[in-house]
Structure formats: structure tokens, C-alpha cells
């Protein structure tokens, strides 16, 4: 993954409470809390570089004294994290998530100060080890086997400048780009590391790739019309088989991924026999049952494509149509969500009356 970090292990501890004052019944101050706060332009790498120890401890509460019977609360420790973070316990259980800038999560609570209830002895703060797990948040996630042309497509439709080369694994870390429209609308697109067969079982970059797909609103499958072969040792796959295998990988990792709206981009239409291959693919997609080969390749459920668009990142064919199609799909989805939200609100109003 190069310099890109999407998982970080931290030690967090709330502050210890202050001592009570038994003779006058004074209460010690509460220990400070450790908070995670989502903030734009923050990365897990910047946290690791800035705090190499990866320890975050809040301040202790002040002791009760004759001057101040109620001790002052300890200072909170605030850690800025990027949006799109899941907070996990050391055993892998999710305890919270931060999806938008400004959201806060209490990572470790401070201990109570000494009081009558605790025999004026202070309590220690909560301590634990947590994992920050980053899943990119993007409107559209590019899904495809290596060398399908995802990076070229991202550079064509957005201002991103991913590394592009004619060998299989060019993308080794997620790239984010934004499609800009004439009316200033922006749609973010994530190009994720190339998926390979067996990714659901964590082969290649398996889970590192697939967990980022979870956080995208829509999928854009990019398929090479001339088929795909990872290396001399692996089997050659036609465009139709590639679509089936991609669907199967997503399904085996998490079935819900197949419920996301999806668009299919058939790339490399500038190649000599692309037109014939496309006609063949259309036939296969219309009657998939006539062309199915091995049993283990067949997904239980199929991805419903909203559109199928032949493109060429080399000549620029179909790129504008694809951008318009992505926009339409995103707008329709937003409208549907708004409609559901309005219905819920209406229902709440009716029931409250």
C-alpha cells in the first residue's frame, strides 16, 4: 500500500480523578476524557507521524482542597481523525464510527473524583486499545480486475492524476478524484486497488480493497472488452466471465454490496475486434443461463446494471455519456432517499398526532 495507511492501533486512557477532602467533604475533579473528532484533511498517516508513540492520555482531575472544595475537571485529550473511520476494540468489535467532519466519539472516559461514595479515593480512567479503520467515502467506487483501465478512466473523467502503466497492478493505493460538472456539481470517484479472483478470501489485497467498496454509494464496474488474464499461469477470462467473477467476489465478501446501484463501463472499444466482442457480450448478458460455464463462478444473485456504456479511455469515446449517466444515477438515488426521508417524517407526524 506504499505510504497509504488505512488501519491504525492506538492506546487511549481517560484521566484519573482528583483526591477528595474527607474532613470537609470535598470532591476531587473528574479525570479528562479522550475524544476522537472527525476533521477534513486529516489522514491516519499524519496521526502516526505526529504521535509515533500512538498513546493518548487525558489530564488528571484536580484534588479537592480548602481553597477549592470541588476539584477542577482534568483536561480532555482531542484526537483529530479523518472522516470515514470505524472505531474497533482490540477484539475486532465495532464500537463507533465517524462519517462526517465535526462528529465526535468518546474513546476513553475519565475516572470519577474522590467523594463520599468512593470513600474520597479517586477512580482511574478507562483504558483500552482501539483500532481506527478507514473506509474511503466516495459517491462512486471503480471496480474491476487489474489493467481494465480504471486509472485511465479516473484521469479522463476527473482531475486526479493516478499512476498509469501497461502492467497489471498499477494502483496499489486508493485514488480519489472528483468529476466536475458545468453547474459546479461535484461527484467523488474512488479508484481502488485491482481486484483479483479470491479477493474475498483476502488473496492479493482482498479485504483492503473490498472494505473501501462498502462506503461508496454506487459501483462502476470497468471491464476490458477483450477479456483479462492476470499472468501466464492463470486462466484467460472473457469480458462476460469477468463480469460474473467480479459479481461473485463482491457477493462472497458481503451480499449487500450487490444491492448498490451499478453502472457497467465496457472499456478499450478502440481495439480492432471490439465491436464483435461487444455484440457477443450483449447476447451473453441477455441470456446468461445459455453461456454459464463452471458452477463455482456463478454468483447466487446478479448485479442489476442501470446502464451499460461502451467507452474508450484512449480515444475518449463514451466518456461524456458515462459522466452524464453517473450524474443521473446519483441524482435519482438522492431523490429516492429524500422521498423516503419525507415519508418517514410524515409518518412520525401522523403517529404523534
Amino acid at each position: 500500500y506504499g505510504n497509504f495507511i488505512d488501519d491504525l492501533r492506538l492506546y487511549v486512557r481517560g484521566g484519573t480523578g482528583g483526591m477528595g477532602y474527607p474532613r470537609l467533604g470535598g470532591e476531587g475533579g473528574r479525570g479528562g476524557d479522550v475524544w476522537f473528532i472527525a476533521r477534513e484533511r486529516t489522514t491516519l498517516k499524519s496521526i502516526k507521524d505526529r504521535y509515533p508513540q500512538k498513546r493518548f492520555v487525558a489530564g488528571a482531575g484536580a484534588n479537592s482542597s480548602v481553597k477549592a472544595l470541588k476539584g477542577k475537571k482534568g483536561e480532555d485529550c482531542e484526537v483529530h481523525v479523518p472522516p470515514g473511520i470505524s472505531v474497533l476494540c482490540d477484539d475486532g468489535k465495532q464500537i463507533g464510527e465517524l462519517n462526517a467532519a465535526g462528529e465526535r466519539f468518546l474513546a476513553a472516559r475519565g475516572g470519577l473524583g474522590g467523594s463520599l461514595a468512593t470513600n474520597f479515593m479517586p477512580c482511574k480512567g478507562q483504558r483500552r486499545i482501539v483500532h481506527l479503520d478507514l473506509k474511503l467515502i466516495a459517491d462512486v467506487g471503480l471496480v474491476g480486475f487489474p489493467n481494465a483501465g480504471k486509472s485511465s478512466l479516473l484521469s479522463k473523467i476527473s482531475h486526479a492524476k493516478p499512476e498509469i502503466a501497461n502492467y497489471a497492478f498499477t494502483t496499489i493505493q486508493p485514488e480519489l478524484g472528483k468529476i466536475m460538472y458545468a453547474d459546479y456539481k461535484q461527484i467523488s470517484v474512488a479508484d481502488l486497488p485491482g481486484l483479483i479472483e479470491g479477493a474475498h478470501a483476502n488473496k492479493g489485497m482482498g479485504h483492503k480493497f473490498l472494505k473501501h467498496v462498502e462506503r461508496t454509494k454506487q459501483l462502476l464496474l470497468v471491464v476490458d472488452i477483450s477479456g483479462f488474464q492476470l499472468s501466464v499461469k492463470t486462466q484467460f477470462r472473457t469480458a462476460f466471465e469477468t463480469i460474473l467473477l467480479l459479481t461473485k467476489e463482491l457477493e462472497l465478501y458481503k451480499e449487500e454490496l450487490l444491492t448498490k446501484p451499478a453502472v457497467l463501463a465496457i472499456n478499450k472499444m478502440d481495439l480492432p475486434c471490439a465491436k464483435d466482442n461487444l455484440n457477443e457480450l450483449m447476447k451473453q448478458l441477455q441470456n446468461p443461463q445459455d453461456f454459464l460455464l463452471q458452477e463455482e463462478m456463478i454468483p447466487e444473485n446478479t448485479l442489476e446494471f442501470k446502464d451499460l456504456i461502451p467507452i474508450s479511455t484512449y480515444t475518449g469515446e463514451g466518456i461524456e455519456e458515462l459522466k452524464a449517466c453517473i450524474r443521473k444515477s446519483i441524482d435519482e438515488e438522492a431523490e429516492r432517499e429524500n422521498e423516503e426521508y419525507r415519508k418517514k417524517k410524515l409518518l412520525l407526524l401522523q403517529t404523534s398526532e
Side-chain angles (χ1 to χ4, degrees):
Y1 257 72
N3 285 330
F4 184 80
I5 296 175
D6 56 7
D7 178 72
L8 197 59
R9 189 167 177 264
L10 307 175
Y11 171 82
V12 289
R13 193 180 86 210
T16 308
M19 288 287 287
Y21 202 120
R23 211 176 53 180
L24 300 172
E27 285 185 17
R30 257 197 62 205
D33 304 319
V34 180
W35 290 89
F36 291 152
I37 302 170
R39 190 182 189 181
E40 295 288 356
R41 293 195 175 83
T42 306
T43 63
L44 291 184
K45 188 175 183 312
S46 64
I47 298 173
K48 191 181 171 190
D49 292 347
R50 198 165 166 203
Y51 307 100
Q53 302 283 310
K54 296 184 287 190
R55 285 171 63 86
F56 297 94
V57 180
N63 294 337
S64 171
S65 64
V66 177
K67 287 180 186 170
L69 283 180
K70 180 95 174 93
K72 203 171 156 220
K73 182 179 180 289
E75 204 175 322
D76 286 350
C77 170
E78 296 187 344
V79 188
H80 292 124
V81 299
I85 283 283
S86 299
V87 186
L88 312 172
C89 272
D90 218 15
D91 59 3
K93 189 169 155 249
Q94 185 170 321
I95 49 175
E97 55 181 10
L98 298 150
N99 290 325
E103 285 186 12
R104 298 166 68 91
F105 172 76
L106 180 60
R109 195 179 288 281
L112 293 171
S115 64
L116 189 62
T118 64
N119 208 10
F120 298 101
M121 295 304 286
C123 300
K124 286 186 174 176
Q126 186 182 14
R127 61 175 72 196
R128 58 181 169 193
I129 286 171
V130 294
H131 286 262
L132 298 184
D133 192 29
L134 173 69
K135 296 174 184 174
L136 291 177
I137 298 180
D139 296 317
V140 180
L142 295 183
V143 178
F145 282 138
N147 232 13
K150 300 190 300 298
S151 298
S152 309
L153 179 59
L154 186 71
S155 65
K156 269 273 188 286
I157 60 178
S158 75
H159 295 289
K161 292 182 175 57
E163 186 183 321
I164 298 162
N166 61 355
Y167 51 88
F169 287 98
T170 318
T171 306
I172 50 173
Q173 61 185 46
E175 287 274 358
L176 269 178
K178 276 195 164 62
I179 310 178
M180 308 288 211
Y181 291 92
D183 60 354
Y184 302 107
K185 163 108 177 163
Q186 295 183 13
I187 289 176
S188 58
V189 182
D191 171 23
L192 306 155
L195 200 53
I196 62 167
E197 283 179 56
H200 69 275
N202 216 1
K203 276 192 196 165
M205 294 193 172
H207 290 179
K208 273 193 177 250
F209 164 89
L210 286 160
K211 73 172 189 186
H212 292 305
V213 180
E214 285 180 64
R215 287 285 179 100
T216 57
K217 292 179 190 164
Q218 307 212 349
L219 304 179
L220 173 58
L221 265 71
V222 186
V223 172
D224 185 338
I225 189 61
S226 55
F228 166 71
Q229 186 171 16
L230 183 63
S231 71
V232 188
K233 292 176 189 168
T234 56
Q235 216 173 327
F236 175 79
R237 304 292 191 194
T238 64
F240 175 61
E241 289 175 318
T242 304
I243 294 166
L244 285 184
L245 281 167
L246 285 170
T247 310
K248 185 80 177 164
E249 285 302 333
L250 295 174
E251 179 184 75
L252 287 169
Y253 177 72
K254 221 173 219 180
E255 271 182 63
E256 299 94 89
L257 291 180
L258 298 190
T259 60
K260 287 182 186 284
V263 174
L264 178 60
I266 307 288
N267 194 14
K268 307 197 182 175
M269 286 305 293
D270 51 282
L271 295 176
C273 46
K275 291 276 186 287
D276 300 339
N277 287 348
L278 183 65
N279 294 337
E280 177 71 11
L281 178 63
M282 289 308 210
K283 275 187 226 157
Q284 290 169 325
L285 287 172
Q286 271 153 9
N287 306 303
Q289 61 283 354
D290 302 348
F291 298 93
L292 295 176
L293 307 162
Q294 296 143 305
E295 197 63 39
E296 68 272 10
M297 276 174 58
I298 308 164
E300 307 264 316
N301 306 296
T302 50
L303 260 176
E304 295 293 319
F305 294 112
K306 286 194 160 190
D307 279 292
L308 188 151
I309 298 167
I311 61 162
S312 165
T313 51
Y314 183 69
T315 62
E317 174 197 338
I319 297 290
E320 287 307 313
E321 191 190 340
L322 181 64
K323 282 163 77 169
C325 169
I326 291 170
R327 169 78 185 261
K328 182 166 160 265
S329 183
I330 290 277
D331 288 350
E332 278 172 7
E333 203 56 28
E335 188 51 48
R336 196 177 63 78
E337 278 174 15
N338 286 343
E339 194 54 45
E340 278 177 16
Y341 179 73
R342 280 199 290 270
K343 278 180 187 166
K344 262 188 199 162
K345 278 274 185 240
L346 205 63
L347 203 69
L348 276 170
L349 279 168
Q350 286 164 348
T351 50
S352 61
E353 280 166 11

